[in-house]
Amino acid sequence: MEKYSHLLFDLDHTLWDYDSNVRDSLLELFANYELGKLGNPDFELFFEAFQLTNHSLWEQFNRGLVDKDQLRAMRFKQVFTRAKLPVSKIPRDLEEEFIFRTSSKPKVMDQAFETLDYLKTKYQLHIITNGFNQSQYNKLKSSKLDAYFDLIVTSENSGFRKPDKRIFEHTLVKLKANARQCLMIGDNPLSDIQGAQNAEIDQVYYNPLNTKITIQPTFTIKHLSELGNIL
C-alpha cells in the first residue's frame, strides 16, 4: 500500500449532505414564499425540477460552459419553467436566500464524523471543491466539519475548477507535496476521479448508489467507513 500523507476530500455529496440540506431549505422557501399558490402545489415536483436543473447547471459549470454568475442567474428561472410555474413570479431574493439557508444547514453524510475522527490522527486532511468561497466556508462551519481540514481549495480561490489538473497542481504547491503523497476522495466521476487522474493522483470513488462509470478509479467505496479498510 502506498503511504499517503494528504487526503483530499470533495465536500458536497461526499461529506456534506447536499441533497438533504437542499431539500430542507427548499421546503422552507416553498412554504415561506407560498410557491404552491403559483399554480403547482406539489413540493415534490418542485424539488424534482430543482434537482434536474441544478445537476445540469453544475455539470455545465464543471465543464466550463457557464460561470458562477450565470449559474445563479439561470437556476430558478429554469426550475420555475420546468415546474410549470410563472417565471415572472420568482421572488426577488429567492436565489440569495436559497444560498444563505442551504449553506447554513448542518447535515453530513453517514459516518462522516466518525471516519474523519479516525483519519485525522493519521493524515493531513484537505478540501478541494468546485463550490464557491462563501457558501463552502459556511457549509464547513455550520456542519462543524471545518475543524478537520488544514487547507480549503475552491474553484474561486485557486482560479481553476475540477477536473482541470491545475486545481490539483495548485493544491500540491500549497501543500509542498507530490502527487504520490496524495489521495483524492469524491463522488463525481468527472471532477473528482478523472480530475485526480489528470494530475496523476490516486483516487477513491465514493459511490453509495453503485453508479456505473466508464473510468477505473484506484479504489471504490459505497460507505465512508470503508476508508478505514483502505487507509
Side-chain angles (χ1 to χ4, degrees):
M1 172 63 66
E2 184 81 25
K3 177 60 178 176
Y4 304 107
S5 302
H6 302 278
L7 305 185
L8 315 176
F9 281 89
D10 175 50
L11 182 58
D12 296 339
H13 302 285
T14 299
L15 294 172
W16 191 77
D17 191 344
Y18 187 93
D19 290 337
S20 294
N21 290 319
V22 163
R23 181 183 178 84
D24 289 347
S25 294
L26 290 175
L27 268 170
E28 295 166 6
L29 294 169
F30 195 81
N32 291 351
Y33 284 109
E34 299 184 325
L35 299 183
K37 293 183 178 180
L38 297 180
N40 189 341
D42 189 341
F43 171 76
E44 295 303 327
L45 291 178
F46 181 79
F47 182 62
E48 180 182 4
F50 180 89
Q51 291 285 75
L52 292 170
T53 298
N54 200 51
H55 177 77
S56 174
L57 286 173
W58 273 102
E59 284 293 303
Q60 293 176 59
F61 178 82
N62 291 341
R63 296 178 184 276
L65 302 177
V66 299
D67 61 21
K68 169 187 172 180
D69 292 336
Q70 290 170 324
L71 186 154
R72 290 182 169 177
M74 296 164 62
R75 179 155 47 193
F76 278 102
K77 290 179 182 177
Q78 293 187 12
V79 171
F80 271 55
T81 299
R82 187 172 254 133
K84 296 181 168 49
L85 298 175
V87 172
S88 62
K89 299 294 185 180
I90 296 175
R92 183 177 187 179
D93 298 323
L94 184 60
E95 176 68 27
E96 290 74 15
E97 191 167 350
F98 167 75
I99 293 167
F100 173 77
R101 283 177 180 265
T102 303
S103 65
S104 301
K105 299 298 183 189
K107 291 181 180 177
V108 300
M109 303 301 285
D110 187 40
Q111 294 290 304
F113 288 122
E114 293 85 346
T115 301
L116 292 173
D117 283 336
Y118 167 76
L119 296 174
K120 185 65 174 173
T121 65
K122 302 173 181 293
Y123 304 93
Q124 293 184 53
L125 310 183
H126 316 285
I127 293 286
I128 303 186
T129 172
N130 278 357
F132 309 126
N133 286 350
Q134 183 176 1
S135 61
Q136 300 306 78
Y137 292 137
N138 287 348
K139 291 173 187 177
L140 287 163
K141 182 177 180 180
S142 299
S143 62
K144 296 182 168 53
L145 288 169
D146 55 339
Y148 292 93
F149 298 100
D150 300 314
L151 178 67
I152 312 298
V153 176
T154 72
S155 54
E156 278 192 297
N157 67 28
S158 68
F160 309 105
R161 64 190 75 167
K162 300 178 291 184
D164 190 328
K165 70 176 184 178
R166 288 175 293 179
I167 192 171
F168 297 95
E169 292 170 346
H170 169 88
T171 303
L172 295 179
V173 170
K174 289 282 187 181
L175 296 177
K176 299 179 181 178
N178 61 56
R180 294 186 303 278
Q181 295 173 292
C182 299
L183 181 67
M184 177 71 205
I185 299 120
D187 72 290
N188 190 297
L190 174 65
S191 60
D192 299 321
I193 306 309
Q194 184 63 63
Q197 289 182 358
N198 291 344
E200 299 183 348
I201 293 172
D202 286 353
Q203 330 87 44
V204 177
Y205 176 39
Y206 173 51
N207 186 18
L209 300 180
N210 203 29
T211 304
K212 302 295 183 184
I213 63 174
T214 57
I215 58 179
Q216 182 62 50
T218 313
F219 307 101
T220 299
I221 59 173
K222 293 185 67 173
H223 196 279
L224 288 175
S225 61
E226 293 176 57
L227 285 171
N229 300 328
I230 297 171
L231 297 164

